[in-house]
Amino acid sequence: MKTLDCSTIESTQNSLISLFKTDLDGLNKFLLACNEKITFNNGIKDCSLTFNDILTYFQLDNEEVLPDRITMFHLSSSVDDSSFKEHGLLNLENVIKKGLLNEFFLKNGIKIVYKEGVAPIITYKNKDYTDEHLFWRFNQDKCINGFLIREMAECNSNVQHLKKCPEFIHDLSRLLTNPDLVSNWIKENKRIKLSLSVDFKDLNNYDADILIVGAVEYLVLKSKELWSSGDNYMVYLDEDVNILPSDILRIEVQK
């Protein structure tokens, strides 16, 4: 089972050693040769390394290099980690179907009735709300977003807001004109970082070339002390994918 794991320098090295069918000395010689292909000019990163360069150097074909699984990170929030241990990480449709947020909604005077194929009905203060954006999230764009594949995911500005409150709760807050919904969520829930192992084929519109070249780029930039959390790479899952509890590698409570 070949895994692309860019969570640390060592895990990235081990992943590429396995994918490139080489050893640490062979990988380091290749990284040294890549120094001229991955540079910074006037503060702007320039990478001329290609996937074909990798295949040619290690005399491999495309299929040999592709990983079976990928390690990624997701920022979330929850009262505790029991839901992740029991249910895993679910897309929005399944979170609502299973009623995992019902207790929080009830405390805040909200009821959601969801039926497949029609807009969810949200009841608040004796008024029913329907919303096309939420309908889209339930039935089309229901994938779990915000996955990063390199270290310091919790410091990336693109996803930091997810540590405090899910986007869905922000959407509900705006729809119901209830700003307390977000503040109540933040007050009640802990910030959590999940480390996950996912089938590579479950990535949405993934480009293996970019991910593998990016892993090489990460090691070169780290060696030059030029990598920052802003250089992290975001990936997405296919719409209907849920992550099993057994695929959650670690659950960390964040400050």
Side-chain angles (χ1 to χ4, degrees):
M1 185 72 70
K2 298 180 293 183
T3 298
L4 181 61
D5 179 356
C6 297
S7 54
T8 66
I9 293 175
E10 183 178 10
S11 70
T12 308
Q13 289 173 332
N14 290 336
S15 292
L16 295 184
I17 285 169
S18 174
L19 295 176
F20 297 166
K21 298 183 178 180
T22 186
D23 55 21
L24 183 58
D25 184 54
L27 177 63
N28 284 334
K29 287 179 180 177
F30 174 66
L31 295 175
L32 191 62
C34 290
N35 271 322
E36 296 179 359
K37 290 181 174 288
I38 303 171
T39 59
F40 266 83
N41 296 311
N42 298 319
I44 300 174
K45 180 175 63 182
D46 180 33
C47 178
S48 61
L49 177 69
T50 68
F51 188 54
N52 282 333
D53 291 336
I54 295 171
L55 298 180
T56 300
Y57 186 94
F58 291 103
Q59 297 183 339
L60 299 168
D61 63 41
N62 186 76
E63 292 302 316
E64 287 180 285
V65 179
L66 298 182
D68 301 299
R69 295 183 72 79
I70 184 169
T71 299
M72 56 176 63
F73 307 100
H74 181 68
L75 302 181
S76 186
S77 54
S78 179
V79 174
D80 55 42
D81 59 11
S82 61
S83 176
F84 297 118
K85 291 178 178 177
E86 182 179 354
H87 301 286
L89 187 60
L90 304 177
N91 63 31
L92 179 59
E93 179 185 37
N94 282 294
V95 166
I96 300 302
K97 277 184 176 180
K98 291 180 178 291
L100 300 186
L101 298 180
N102 282 357
E103 184 177 344
F104 173 75
F105 290 151
L106 185 62
K107 283 182 183 178
N108 289 273
I110 299 168
K111 181 181 178 181
I112 298 181
V113 177
Y114 172 69
K115 294 182 180 179
E116 188 117 17
V118 297
I121 298 174
I122 301 153
T123 303
Y124 176 66
K125 290 186 176 180
N126 297 317
K127 181 179 177 181
D128 289 345
Y129 295 80
T130 58
D131 183 73
E132 286 304 314
H133 172 69
L134 293 182
F135 177 71
W136 179 260
R137 288 296 310 276
F138 275 101
N139 292 281
Q140 302 293 328
D141 179 24
K142 57 192 175 189
C143 66
I144 316 163
N145 292 333
F147 296 103
L148 293 158
I149 63 171
R150 296 174 195 142
E151 63 174 287
M152 297 173 64
E154 65 274 18
C155 299
N156 188 275
S157 60
N158 292 314
V159 296
Q160 271 194 329
H161 64 288
L162 297 176
K163 288 194 297 186
K164 295 181 179 180
C165 185
E167 290 178 350
F168 172 61
I169 300 299
H170 281 283
D171 293 339
L172 267 184
S173 175
R174 286 190 290 269
L175 176 65
L176 305 178
T177 320
N178 180 4
D180 290 339
L181 193 64
V182 172
S183 58
N184 288 344
W185 180 278
I186 293 171
K187 191 187 305 178
E188 293 182 23
N189 291 275
K190 298 175 183 177
R191 302 176 184 187
I192 291 174
K193 176 183 174 183
L194 301 172
S195 301
L196 313 162
S197 177
V198 178
D199 281 342
F200 203 71
K201 63 180 176 56
D202 285 338
L203 295 186
N204 186 355
N205 297 321
Y206 74 86
D207 189 328
D209 301 17
I210 291 175
L211 296 181
I212 293 169
V213 169
V216 174
E217 179 184 283
Y218 164 69
L219 290 179
V220 172
L221 294 180
K222 287 291 286 189
S223 70
K224 296 179 177 182
E225 298 184 352
L226 291 173
W227 187 85
S228 72
S229 63
D231 294 312
N232 220 320
Y233 191 84
M234 187 173 289
V235 293
Y236 304 91
L237 291 178
D238 283 336
E239 301 298 338
D240 294 321
V241 171
N242 297 288
I243 296 172
L244 298 174
S246 57
D247 288 333
I248 298 180
L249 306 175
R250 190 175 181 187
I251 302 172
E252 302 172 64
V253 177
Q254 302 275 296
K255 293 182 179 180

